[in-house]
Amino acid sequence: MSSLNRSRRTLIIVLIAFLLPVIIAWIILDQHWYQAGTNKGTLLAEPVTLSQADELPDGWKLAYIAPEQCQERCQNVLFVMNQIDVALGKDTDRVTPVVLTNSAAADVREFHSEFHFTQLQQPQLIDQLNGLPASSLFIIDPLNNVMLYYPSHDDQQTMILEGKNVLADLRKLLKLSRIG
């Protein structure tokens, strides 16, 4: 084999070695075989900015809009919020569990002794959050942007599993956050 053919063969092998990964990556992305993102909750394409959030505590907030009657689903969410607060360990000071209510008549007050959360009567904030699915648990960043939400469940074991997803996302956010 002549040196010219050997040089061409080497050049072709080098080109293939560099172009093949690029072509494979392009095909994978073009065919949508790769789903970007590692969050376990539903990420809002457009974060909801809460304009009238003066009464919200500082830092990160794990929030829930309580219904008028706190049935099993509501109780499961309050239980999971409390468990997440405990599981955060040293970062528990950075996250405040918040329960938003439309009226003072909401019956979540009976759970204050059992679970640790801040209850706020904020109908105007609830109106701003009407685009989120009902009974969802959501994360509010220190700049008062709602960015992730999670469904709630009637079954306590399913809700606990969802709580693990919330905890994983919260830990990741707190680790990467430079604010709050």
Side-chain angles (χ1 to χ4, degrees):
M1 184 184 270
S2 71
S3 67
L4 183 60
N5 285 341
R6 201 172 313 155
S7 298
R8 284 183 184 164
R9 193 174 96 196
T10 304
L11 179 64
I12 290 172
I13 290 172
V14 169
L15 284 174
I16 288 174
F18 284 103
L19 290 177
L20 191 61
V22 173
I23 293 170
I24 291 172
W26 179 74
I27 291 171
I28 288 173
L29 290 175
D30 187 54
Q31 297 299 316
H32 303 287
W33 293 337
Y34 173 75
Q35 298 297 320
T38 60
N39 54 300
K40 300 184 186 307
T42 304
L43 184 66
L44 295 172
E46 291 290 323
V48 178
T49 302
L50 302 175
S51 59
Q52 300 174 6
D54 297 335
E55 292 186 34
L56 283 176
D58 293 336
W60 291 87
K61 282 115 1 221
L62 180 61
Y64 174 66
I65 300 172
E68 290 297 320
Q69 299 296 318
C70 192
Q71 302 296 329
E72 191 168 350
R73 179 179 296 241
C74 172
Q75 292 171 22
N76 289 339
V77 171
L78 295 177
F79 173 76
V80 166
M81 286 176 70
N82 186 60
Q83 295 303 310
I84 290 170
D85 190 44
V86 171
L88 282 171
K90 65 179 179 139
D91 287 328
T92 193
D93 296 341
R94 296 177 66 191
V95 179
T96 305
V98 176
V99 176
L100 301 172
T101 59
N102 265 326
S103 67
D107 66 347
V108 293
R109 292 195 189 279
E110 66 184 77
F111 299 105
H112 270 292
S113 61
E114 204 174 332
F115 306 128
H116 170 71
F117 60 84
T118 303
Q119 182 177 352
L120 297 173
Q121 182 182 341
Q122 293 285 321
Q124 67 276 11
L125 284 181
I126 294 172
D127 289 341
Q128 290 179 7
L129 296 168
N130 64 2
L132 295 177
S135 297
S136 60
L137 189 61
F138 49 94
I139 297 175
I140 304 172
D141 71 6
L143 301 175
N144 295 325
N145 297 311
V146 178
M147 59 176 80
L148 284 166
Y149 70 89
Y150 306 84
S152 60
H153 305 281
D154 289 328
D155 179 48
Q156 187 173 22
Q157 292 305 314
T158 309
M159 191 63 215
I160 289 172
L161 291 175
E162 194 66 49
K164 289 180 181 181
N165 293 337
V166 176
L167 181 62
D169 284 347
L170 257 176
R171 282 189 173 149
K172 192 178 304 175
L173 286 169
L174 292 172
K175 180 180 177 184
L176 298 174
S177 172
R178 295 181 185 222
I179 55 174

